[in-house]
Amino acid sequence: MTRKLRINGHSHLLPYPEEIPQFMKEKEIFWVDDERKYMLQKGWRRPVTDSSFFLHEKLEWMERNKLDHAVVLNLSQLYGNGLRLEEMKKALRFQNDFNAKVQHDHPDKFTCGFVVHPGFIHGALYEVERCVEQLEMKVLCLPTHFMDSIGQWRSVFDKENDAIFELANKYKLAIEIHPYDGDKMINLENSSWRFHLIWMLAQCGDAYHFYTLNGMQERFPNIRTCFAHGGQLAQMNLGRRIQGFDGRPDLFKGKHHPRKAVGHPNIYFDTLVHDTDSLKLMIDRQGSNQVIMGLDDPYPLGEMESDAQSSYPGKLLDLAIEKHVINEKQYDDIWEDNVLRWLFGDDDIAKQKLINRILAN
């Protein structure tokens, strides 16, 4: 019997300092210090909290934790919001080329995503085509919200962005929706990590709200969209959204009822919700088939080895088994089958190719 794989559907990777183009440091867009202790932007820095932020150390970390494969998303700091057009294009192109090289050099270990900026639609469409056709990438990473060309914050699922999803539908892409930049969107003091602990969940819930109201899971049937961090507020807020839709239909003319999206086979959520009660709610609402493993490594809000947090990669699913939230088959499916279905849909040949690459090494 072929062993079940452990595939992490939500991972990140930093370039080594010497891999980052000089212009990105000169323009203070993004860089890593030479000692690999901080990632930096203008007026911002964040500690590098684990050596597995970097490629070779990541591979060692995966080996140590028996992780067979990982989906590497773009860095949230490289969504390009607020940058001048040419700077944004160069920064995002660097990110996409970096991820493409990681995937090319280590196809048994990594499937990598690419990012575009929805505020500049023609450039975004060109970059989708380039990344899919030239770089052979199949995971489109998008922010929950973006800053448009006049400085207004918008939902990524605004109607004006349909062309991106039409092209993604043509290529049958997996899509990852991830929050960031809450401190730029919301006029509150950035204290006690509130934008990561509270507002990121609200951003995911807001994105899911418009994705489902616009019926995108039905309008674009070939894309498979995953919401990061379990789309946690989306699970808690379902009843309120239904009551609002039914109670004020005048506000939702031409929109799709929230119930229609619940458990939809093309909408996925990762497991990174930090407690089994939240995981149980997500599975009860959406079905375990729509849940994929997501560790969000190597960030401290991910599932990392930590005595202080009493954590390790895969802890939540192990606890879910102990508490009978899921059974052994659901456990295996969340680690492997569901991730493969999100990545490749019904393309069984592509799934088997990836499985063969993983098992061959």
Side-chain angles (χ1 to χ4, degrees):
M1 181 178 176
T2 304
R3 71 176 176 89
K4 299 302 292 184
L5 299 175
R6 285 161 56 93
I7 304 175
N8 171 19
H10 182 165
S11 183
H12 298 277
L13 192 64
L14 274 179
Y16 289 105
E18 61 273 16
E19 294 178 306
I20 299 174
Q22 184 63 25
F23 83 88
M24 291 181 61
K25 183 173 182 179
E26 291 173 355
K27 299 286 187 179
E28 297 184 290
I29 296 170
F30 183 78
W31 74 101
V32 176
D33 72 298
D34 292 338
E35 290 75 34
R36 305 179 189 174
K37 292 183 178 180
Y38 291 94
M39 57 188 95
L40 302 102
Q41 292 179 293
K42 184 177 182 179
W44 174 92
R45 73 175 189 171
R46 180 172 181 168
V48 174
T49 51
D50 196 89
S51 62
S52 64
F53 267 102
F54 302 101
L55 176 60
H56 299 297
E57 293 82 355
K58 170 81 75 182
L59 289 167
E60 294 171 1
W61 181 82
M62 290 171 65
E63 179 72 20
R64 191 165 66 248
N65 288 285
K66 298 179 171 59
L67 300 172
D68 296 297
H69 195 79
V71 179
V72 173
L73 310 177
N74 69 288
L75 293 167
S76 298
Q77 293 83 5
L78 290 178
Y79 285 134
N81 288 318
L83 295 180
R84 294 178 181 273
L85 176 59
E86 288 305 314
E87 292 175 356
M88 179 274 294
K89 287 166 61 177
K90 289 166 66 177
L92 268 60
R93 188 177 182 113
F94 161 72
Q95 167 74 104
N96 295 340
D97 288 347
F98 170 78
N99 273 9
K101 186 176 188 303
V102 170
Q103 177 176 282
H104 178 270
D105 292 349
H106 303 276
D108 58 320
K109 290 299 181 183
F110 299 114
T111 295
C112 295
F114 65 94
V115 62
V116 301
H117 195 297
F120 303 93
I121 196 77
H122 297 296
L125 296 177
Y126 171 84
E127 187 67 356
V128 170
E129 291 180 349
R130 185 182 79 91
C131 289
V132 174
E133 297 191 5
Q134 297 180 29
L135 304 182
E136 299 183 351
M137 304 172 87
K138 295 287 287 183
V139 180
L140 171 59
C141 300
L142 293 171
T144 57
H145 302 81
F146 68 96
M147 183 186 289
D148 67 16
S149 59
I150 60 170
Q152 176 68 45
W153 284 96
R154 307 273 295 278
S155 167
V156 73
F157 300 122
D158 278 3
K159 188 79 172 173
E160 289 83 351
N161 294 332
D162 273 4
I164 294 174
F165 298 101
E166 288 167 0
L167 189 56
N169 193 66
K170 170 189 169 183
Y171 288 128
K172 300 183 178 181
L173 299 182
I175 296 178
E176 174 74 16
I177 303 299
H178 197 291
Y180 200 65
D181 285 332
D183 56 328
K184 299 174 184 175
M185 297 170 55
I186 300 152
N187 190 22
L188 287 170
E189 179 188 3
N190 190 356
S191 63
S192 300
W193 224 10
R194 72 191 327 159
F195 292 106
H196 278 73
L197 302 184
I198 310 298
W199 290 100
M200 274 191 166
L201 306 185
Q203 288 173 277
C204 284
D206 186 75
Y208 176 76
H209 182 56
F210 286 98
Y211 187 85
T212 58
L213 285 178
N214 292 337
M216 300 186 73
Q217 70 279 4
E218 296 171 7
R219 293 169 51 223
F220 306 109
N222 294 327
I223 63 173
R224 301 158 309 282
T225 302
C226 181
F227 290 85
H229 310 304
Q232 202 161 3
L233 188 62
Q235 319 303 338
M236 286 290 297
N237 204 33
L238 179 62
R240 186 173 179 87
R241 292 179 61 230
I242 289 172
Q243 181 147 346
F245 191 98
D246 291 341
R248 286 292 307 273
D250 57 304
L251 299 178
F252 299 96
K253 291 179 180 178
K255 300 296 185 182
H256 293 241
H257 198 286
R259 282 197 190 94
K260 291 183 177 181
V262 179
H264 194 281
N266 282 348
I267 302 178
Y268 293 80
F269 305 89
D270 70 28
T271 58
L272 198 77
V273 294
H274 304 287
D275 70 279
T276 53
D277 290 335
S278 295
L279 183 68
K280 184 178 187 303
L281 175 62
M282 179 163 61
I283 288 173
D284 287 346
R285 287 238 155 113
Q286 307 293 343
S288 65
N289 284 344
Q290 303 315 118
V291 178
I292 70 171
M293 173 52 74
L295 299 179
D296 199 12
D297 58 286
Y299 290 99
L301 280 175
E303 285 192 26
M304 300 293 295
E305 306 99 319
S306 170
D307 292 335
Q309 296 169 319
S310 183
S311 182
Y312 61 87
K315 176 187 177 181
L316 184 61
L317 278 200
D318 289 350
L319 284 176
I321 283 279
E322 290 178 19
K323 295 188 175 185
H324 307 291
V325 173
I326 56 174
N327 58 37
E328 293 286 349
K329 183 181 185 307
Q330 291 171 310
Y331 179 96
D332 289 340
D333 287 349
I334 289 170
W335 268 113
E336 178 183 334
D337 296 62
N338 298 355
V339 184
L340 293 173
R341 190 164 11 91
W342 168 55
L343 290 175
F344 302 112
D346 58 3
D347 189 343
D348 292 334
I349 294 175
K351 293 177 193 175
Q352 194 59 50
K353 283 182 178 178
L354 178 57
I355 292 170
N356 293 344
R357 284 200 301 272
I358 294 170
L359 293 177
N361 291 278

